[in-house]
Amino acid sequence: MSIWELLLAFVVVVLMLVALLANVLVLMCFLYSADIRKQVPGLFILNLTFCNLLMAVSSMPLTLAGIIYKSQPAGDQVCHAVGFLETFLTTNSMLSMAALSMDRWIAVVFPLSYHSKMRYRDAALILSYTWLHSAAFPIVAASLSWVGFHHLYASCTLYNKRPEDRTQFVIFTGVFHALSFLLSLVVLCFTYLKVLKVARFHCKRIDVITMQTLVLLVDIHPSVRERCLEEQRRRRQRATKKISTFIGTFILCFAPYVITRLVELSSVVHINAHWGIISKCLAYSKAVSDPFVYSLLRHQYKKTWKDIINKILKRSSINSSALAGESHNRNLPQLNE
């Protein structure tokens, strides 16, 4: 193995381990907190978490083996199953992110009617659509034998080995990425830009009230005034940073892989094998970033995880105290003797 292959294998191992750990933490928070389970976005996050976990235990290990052995790491049936699952999970993840953005859009733009427009039943219907949409393309690909081991990406994925099916496969690939990546990106941009517009409007209203208050409070200390102005700046930047993170991570992780898949269809452009694996690793990195972007960095999940840690530490301290008490009681007869 070359130094590049060793480095790429190491990256896949790190992505796999971090994705497993981070998504398991999200799942633990979901199971522990009743408040998180009651919220409608929790269903979308749970679906996204399961997709990321399955990606980490199915597709990533085979890609690691493909990098190491430079050939198909398993039998045809296993590779076809993993390729089917990889296509389904990737599409499902993209649509789940679009569903989360729609939920935020309704909550921010239509706050008074949110509970009537986004109920558990509505979320279940949206998830049912994402599953049907995500399953349709791999079913078609599997029925036409367009799933297999692709050396360019060292993974089991969409792949056409028959030259006579090239035109059909090009059309299928274009439609697939248009209705998965492009559709999700359009929904993300539309909804989050609407959310940003409302957030900026509210920030302006708060800023006006704050400035009027500062003008009236003539005797206010300069340090207090400065803190108020600093909070204004942070408030204006907070929504922009969050929305930029949502859209930016989606584009950064998925766009290179999707563009590479489309450019690959052209026989004119030659794609370096190392770049193919790098673009695949970028797509895998979404399974690592999602738990932090959508869950673990939020206040509610932080509080839940702290409660879990405190409960574990308290239980261990109680057990250790009980064991110490038992050993002390056992030693008392010996001292009396």
Side-chain angles (χ1 to χ4, degrees):
M1 291 181 65
S2 65
I3 186 65
W4 267 103
E5 291 166 346
L6 285 172
L7 181 60
L8 291 172
F10 175 75
V11 169
V12 174
V13 170
V14 172
L15 291 175
M16 183 169 55
L17 294 177
V18 176
L20 281 171
L21 177 61
N23 286 282
V24 166
L25 291 180
V26 175
L27 189 59
M28 289 176 62
C29 291
F30 184 87
L31 295 174
Y32 182 84
S33 175
D35 293 335
I36 295 177
R37 292 196 300 272
K38 289 178 183 177
Q39 297 174 357
V40 174
L43 290 177
F44 301 133
I45 292 175
L46 182 63
N47 185 64
L48 183 61
T49 301
F50 274 121
C51 289
N52 292 334
L53 281 173
L54 288 174
M55 184 73 74
V57 300
S58 62
S59 186
M60 291 187 191
L62 279 189
T63 299
L64 176 62
I67 296 172
I68 295 173
Y69 296 109
K70 301 179 183 179
S71 61
Q72 183 172 313
D76 289 339
Q77 291 184 347
V78 174
C79 191
H80 291 164
V82 172
F84 179 97
L85 193 61
E86 185 254 358
T87 306
F88 170 80
L89 294 174
T90 303
T91 308
N92 203 339
S93 298
M94 293 180 182
L95 295 177
S96 296
M97 295 170 213
L100 280 168
S101 70
M102 290 174 61
D103 176 83
R104 288 297 85 204
W105 171 57
I106 296 173
V108 173
V109 180
F110 309 101
L112 299 179
S113 59
Y114 171 75
H115 293 290
S116 62
K117 290 183 177 181
M118 187 59 74
R119 296 163 293 181
Y120 264 93
R121 184 182 66 182
D122 302 318
L125 289 174
I126 294 173
L127 284 181
S128 299
Y129 169 76
T130 62
W131 277 65
L132 291 173
H133 185 128
S134 303
F137 288 99
I139 287 174
V140 173
S143 63
L144 296 174
S145 300
W146 288 345
V147 178
F149 181 76
H150 203 317
H151 288 273
L152 180 61
Y153 308 102
S155 59
C156 297
T157 182
L158 293 178
Y159 185 47
N160 176 37
K161 297 179 181 179
R162 298 194 298 267
E164 61 271 16
D165 292 346
R166 185 178 181 278
T167 302
Q168 295 91 325
F169 184 73
V170 169
I171 296 172
F172 171 83
T173 305
V175 173
F176 167 64
H177 289 301
L179 294 180
S180 56
F181 172 77
L182 186 59
L183 175 64
S184 300
L185 180 60
V186 169
V187 173
L188 282 170
C189 292
F190 173 81
T191 53
Y192 281 132
L193 289 178
K194 290 289 185 181
V195 170
L196 181 61
K197 183 178 179 180
V198 174
R200 285 180 173 175
F201 173 75
H202 287 302
C203 284
K204 287 181 180 179
R205 292 181 59 186
I206 295 172
D207 290 346
V208 170
I209 296 173
T210 303
M211 293 305 298
Q212 290 176 348
T213 305
L214 292 176
V215 170
L216 293 174
L217 298 174
V218 180
D219 298 332
I220 191 172
H221 195 274
S223 62
V224 177
R225 183 187 299 272
E226 184 62 30
R227 282 200 299 270
C228 291
L229 295 176
E230 181 63 26
E231 181 60 28
Q232 279 186 347
R233 289 190 288 269
R234 290 178 181 175
R235 193 185 302 113
R236 285 194 295 266
Q237 295 173 358
R238 195 175 297 131
T240 304
K241 286 181 179 179
K242 286 184 177 180
I243 291 172
S244 299
T245 302
F246 292 146
I247 299 176
T249 54
F250 184 88
I251 295 174
L252 179 64
C253 294
F254 286 128
Y257 178 67
V258 172
I259 293 172
T260 304
R261 295 297 314 233
L262 295 175
V263 172
E264 175 203 348
L265 299 174
S266 173
S267 57
V268 179
V269 181
H270 173 73
I271 300 175
N272 185 274
H274 292 152
W275 169 250
I277 299 174
I278 290 172
S279 66
K280 192 69 176 178
C281 289
L282 285 173
Y284 286 153
S285 66
K286 199 69 175 75
V288 175
S289 64
D290 285 343
F292 299 98
V293 171
Y294 291 101
S295 305
L296 296 177
L297 295 181
R298 291 174 54 191
H299 173 73
Q300 191 173 24
Y301 281 84
K302 287 181 180 179
K303 182 179 180 300
T304 302
W305 184 236
K306 288 178 182 178
D307 292 340
I308 294 173
I309 294 175
N310 291 333
K311 187 175 182 180
I312 294 173
L313 293 176
K314 188 181 295 183
R315 183 178 298 173
S316 62
S317 63
I318 291 173
N319 292 337
S320 62
S321 300
L323 290 173
E326 288 179 5
S327 62
H328 177 70
N329 292 332
R330 289 173 183 172
N331 290 331
L332 281 177
Q334 297 176 3
L335 294 173
N336 293 330
E337 292 176 1

